[in-house]
């Protein structure tokens, strides 16, 4: 593929991020600018999802997390929530074979039980069909909220303490991580937010501790593979220090 991205297995400096997470924002504004219904923006946004999933797979990203629906998004008008759920179902069904063919495993983070039963059923079928795929994980955040995730983790840990399966001093950072929806995956190396908002909106608050953040003004339906590659190149120029001193300093630079 034509890009001068530096390839690499790890998420170290100058390497490709292992885990990219995207806050896909701006569908409504995209539609509004065109005097269209917000739903049209979501429809257009789902075609962007398709192209960015394909691009990620081709570039060699190992985990792509997409924030598709937040716990707070349930408070939107019923008609919009219904349209979003229908679009989600359509996407899950339409992409099923493509995910299988491309060796992509679907994973869901969030309150799957709150999704409508028909959507859940299609998700389960796709989860099953792609369960053994290993090239990439497409991690969809659905009815996801970081505070709900942490609350749920604390409840589970508290239950283990109450039953004496765990002592308070056994609560460590890694124990907490292992009770999150993302327990099996590394933290995101890069979080991208489209549509120019400078906030995390309850997304991966724990996991984002040392993520690089990139905010673009582009509205999600206008986001392209080319811009995605530019952002990945920008990531490759950053020095991730994780609170330590610069490697250049250590080398006397
Ligand atoms: C992102 O677009 C999609 C979801 C949150 C489901 P928005 O619908 O938030 O679009 P804006 O922010 O109103 O433009
Ligand atoms: C964040 O976008 C949630 C998703 C992209 C699914 P929102 O549009 O819901 O966030 P706010 O309201 O601008 O913070
Ligand atoms: Mg928004």
């Amino acid at each position: 593929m034509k890009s001068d991205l530096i390839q690499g297995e790890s998420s170290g400096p100058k390497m490709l991020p292992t885990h990219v997470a995207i806050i896909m924002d701006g569908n409504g504004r995209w539609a509004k600018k065109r005097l269209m219904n917000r739903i049209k923006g979501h429809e257009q946004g789902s075609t962007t999802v398709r192209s960015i999933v394909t691009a990620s797979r081709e570039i060699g990203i190992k985990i792509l997390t997409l924030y598709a629906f937040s716990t707070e998004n349930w408070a939107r008008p019923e008609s919009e929530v219904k349209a979003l759920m229908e679009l989600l179902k359509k996407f899950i069904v339409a992409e099923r074979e493509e995910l299988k063919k491309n060796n992509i495993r679907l994973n869901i983070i969030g309150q799957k039980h709150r999704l409508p039963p028909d959507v859940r059923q299609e998700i389960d079928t796709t989860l099953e069909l792609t369960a053994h795929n290993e090239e990439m994980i497409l991690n969809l955040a659905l009815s996801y909220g970081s505070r709900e995730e942490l609350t749920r983790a604390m409840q589970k840990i508290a239950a283990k303490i109450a039953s004496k399966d765990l002592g308070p001093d056994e609560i460590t950072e890694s124990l907490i991580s292992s009770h999150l929806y993302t327990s099996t995956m590394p933290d995101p190396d890069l979080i991208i937010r489209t549509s120019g908002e400078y906030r995390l909106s309850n997304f991966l608050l724990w996991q984002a501790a040392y993520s690089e953040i990139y905010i673009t003004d582009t509205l999600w339906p206008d986001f392209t593979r080319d811009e995605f590659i530019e952002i990945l190149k920008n990531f490759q120029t950053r020095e991730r220090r994780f609170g330590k001193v610069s490697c250049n300093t250590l080398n006397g630079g």
Side-chain angles (χ1 to χ4, degrees):
M1 66 162 288
K2 56 164 187 29
S3 83
D4 45 352
L5 277 164
I6 303 161
Q7 302 286 325
E9 277 297 306
S10 96
S11 54
K14 308 286 176 279
M15 295 297 177
L16 269 181
T18 301
H19 183 176
V20 177
I22 308 183
I23 303 174
M24 311 184 290
D25 198 16
N27 294 350
R29 277 161 284 170
W30 183 92
K32 194 174 172 200
K33 261 174 52 181
R34 290 164 178 75
L35 306 178
M36 296 195 292
N37 187 295
R38 294 177 56 83
I39 312 298
K40 288 282 168 210
H42 296 312
E43 282 172 14
Q44 196 59 37
S46 77
T47 69
T48 307
V49 172
R50 202 161 293 138
S51 87
I52 297 305
V53 171
T54 307
S56 299
R57 159 75 173 77
E58 288 172 5
I59 292 164
I61 303 295
K62 287 296 168 197
I63 306 170
L64 177 69
T65 296
L66 298 176
Y67 201 9
F69 194 85
S70 73
T71 46
E72 288 75 23
N73 289 151
W74 290 112
R76 291 190 178 196
E78 204 185 309
S79 56
E80 182 169 345
V81 171
K82 192 161 173 266
L84 280 166
M85 291 300 143
E86 274 165 18
L87 263 176
L88 170 63
K89 182 172 157 186
K90 228 168 112 185
F91 177 85
I92 295 287
V93 174
E95 296 309 300
R96 193 173 280 155
E97 286 307 320
E98 200 62 17
L99 294 176
K100 189 174 173 211
K101 197 176 88 200
N102 286 311
N103 205 7
I104 300 172
R105 175 154 69 84
L106 179 71
N107 188 64
I108 306 296
I109 58 170
Q111 303 166 302
K112 203 174 104 193
H113 65 274
R114 282 185 78 182
L115 303 174
D118 56 326
V119 177
R120 236 163 37 215
Q121 199 183 335
E122 298 299 353
I123 286 175
D124 286 341
T125 307
T126 306
L127 285 173
E128 223 172 280
L129 192 77
T130 65
H132 302 292
N133 293 353
E134 355 189 79
E135 202 58 48
M136 185 177 104
I137 297 171
L138 171 61
N139 196 29
L140 286 187
L142 299 173
S143 189
Y144 174 85
S146 214
R147 288 183 170 183
E148 187 278 331
E149 177 183 46
L150 285 163
T151 304
R152 173 177 168 273
M154 285 182 209
Q155 287 172 349
K156 287 186 172 191
I157 293 169
K160 288 181 188 172
I161 294 206
S163 65
K164 302 251 189 281
D165 288 324
L166 201 68
D169 52 355
E170 287 177 282
I171 303 177
T172 59
E173 290 186 12
S174 70
L175 182 98
I176 294 172
S177 293
S178 74
H179 285 80
L180 302 179
Y181 292 120
T182 51
S183 61
T184 57
M185 47 192 84
D187 290 340
D189 302 293
L190 172 64
I191 297 180
I192 300 169
R193 182 166 188 149
T194 58
S195 91
E197 308 287 0
Y198 283 71
R199 54 177 173 259
L200 286 172
S201 302
N202 204 9
F203 187 50
L204 302 177
L205 301 181
W206 172 274
Q207 298 89 333
Y210 269 102
S211 303
E212 294 296 321
I213 297 177
Y214 192 103
I215 291 165
T216 169
D217 285 335
T218 307
L219 304 175
W220 178 249
D222 291 327
F223 191 70
T224 61
R225 172 198 186 97
D226 285 349
E227 183 172 7
F228 186 47
I229 290 172
E230 286 312 309
I231 294 171
L232 295 173
K233 285 189 203 163
N234 174 284
F235 171 86
Q236 295 189 317
T237 66
R238 298 191 188 187
E239 186 190 26
R240 304 183 74 190
R241 287 192 289 280
F242 299 98
K244 300 171 192 152
V245 293
S246 167
C247 292
N248 297 335
T249 312
L250 285 175
N251 296 335

